[in-house]
Amino acid sequence: EAGVTQFPSHSVIEKGQTVTLRCDPISGHDNLYWYRRVMGKEIKFLLHFVKESKQDESGMPNNRFLAERTGGTYSTLKVQPAELEDSGVYFCASSPLQSRNTEAFFGQGTRLTVV
Amino acid sequence: GNSVTQMEGPVTLSEEAFLTINCTYTATGYPSLFWYVQYPGEGLQLLLKATKADDKGSNKGFEATYRKETTSFHLEKGSVQVSDSAVYFCALSRSGTASKLTFGTGTRLQVTL
């Protein structure tokens, strides 16, 4: 069974450009999370989807970030326009919709560099 | 709010040395506690977890005990191997589910021969 897949693995863009990150969760996982690790600091929560609905988007830094999960399958995270401080590693995780003791499975991350 | 503090790295050890990576937390209620590991070039993997006080999580020779009185979840291994070289993240969630995780800053471990 395929794990959580993220694309691209690396992206280098100029300040002001747009970048779209994609996450394919494990098939059948209704929970999907986005996290970000900036400059060797802690990994911070961005948002949580349950199927196609945003359950919690309290970690989204500002309105330059737009996450979607049309159809409740894969998700995209678009940054427009990108700023230097958006550089970091963006992780996606998924888990089944169960009530207890459920592990979240993480992808390899997308390393975004804004220059 | 919730927070996790873990010792800064990098930690450099010789093979077969004893490892401790300290982790303390601040949280309301009774969080679940986790250690995640990121090996070079790979994603985050759950290493072990504990969901209530005094529980001990263990996996691959690593152990951590949920200490509510000291709000700690220190990671230990009796004899590290070169293959344990990775970045280790302590994390918590508000319940036993895979809900929103709060992570520490990560500790890089380098094990040498």
Side-chain angles (χ1 to χ4, degrees):
Chain A
E1 180 182 343
V4 177
T5 305
Q6 293 187 244
F7 182 83
S9 55
H10 294 85
S11 180
V12 180
I13 62 171
E14 292 184 352
K15 176 182 172 181
Q17 289 187 321
T18 298
V19 62
T20 300
L21 314 181
R22 173 169 169 147
C23 169
D24 286 73
I26 293 173
S27 177
H29 281 192
D30 289 329
N31 287 312
L32 188 148
Y33 307 84
W34 283 98
Y35 292 85
R36 178 175 73 170
R37 188 182 190 210
V38 174
M39 289 291 291
K41 296 186 178 179
E42 70 269 29
I43 300 170
K44 286 194 172 181
F45 168 84
L46 295 178
L47 88 160
H48 171 205
F49 283 100
V50 176
K51 298 184 180 179
E52 68 275 9
S53 300
K54 293 177 184 175
Q55 184 78 10
D56 181 353
E57 50 183 330
S58 60
M60 294 288 266
N62 52 61
N63 59 10
R64 295 186 293 103
F65 289 75
L66 175 64
E68 295 180 321
R69 193 183 182 194
T70 306
T73 54
Y74 70 91
S75 174
T76 57
L77 180 64
K78 181 161 70 174
V79 186
Q80 179 182 29
E83 298 290 345
L84 299 179
E85 63 265 25
D86 301 333
S87 296
V89 180
Y90 290 77
F91 291 101
C92 175
S94 73
S95 69
L97 198 63
Q98 292 177 272
S99 59
R100 296 197 62 79
N101 296 321
T102 304
E103 175 185 349
F105 295 86
F106 282 77
Q108 293 185 333
T110 293
R111 181 175 297 278
L112 173 64
T113 303
V114 182
V115 297
Chain B
N2 297 337
S3 68
V4 174
T5 302
Q6 62 182 104
M7 63 189 291
E8 291 189 17
V11 174
T12 303
L13 295 173
S14 298
E15 199 169 44
E16 299 183 0
F18 183 85
L19 168 71
T20 299
I21 300 178
N22 290 337
C23 171
T24 57
Y25 68 89
T26 301
T28 55
Y30 301 93
S32 292
L33 302 174
F34 307 83
W35 277 100
Y36 279 82
V37 58
Q38 185 179 22
Y39 298 104
E42 299 184 14
L44 288 166
Q45 301 173 26
L46 178 65
L47 179 60
L48 53 84
K49 66 181 180 183
T51 58
K52 61 183 186 295
D54 299 325
D55 267 3
K56 177 185 286 187
S58 61
N59 185 25
K60 299 182 180 180
F62 291 89
E63 293 182 340
T65 301
Y66 189 142
R67 301 287 188 198
K68 195 171 192 317
E69 64 276 14
T70 55
T71 62
S72 65
F73 193 55
H74 305 322
L75 182 68
E76 296 182 337
K77 186 175 185 181
S79 175
V80 295
Q81 306 300 310
V82 172
S83 57
D84 294 326
S85 298
V87 182
Y88 293 81
F89 294 90
C90 186
L92 65 82
S93 71
R94 287 192 304 171
S95 68
T97 70
S99 61
K100 179 169 69 175
L101 291 162
T102 299
F103 285 91
T105 54
T107 301
R108 179 175 298 278
L109 170 66
Q110 182 69 45
V111 181
T112 59
L113 291 172

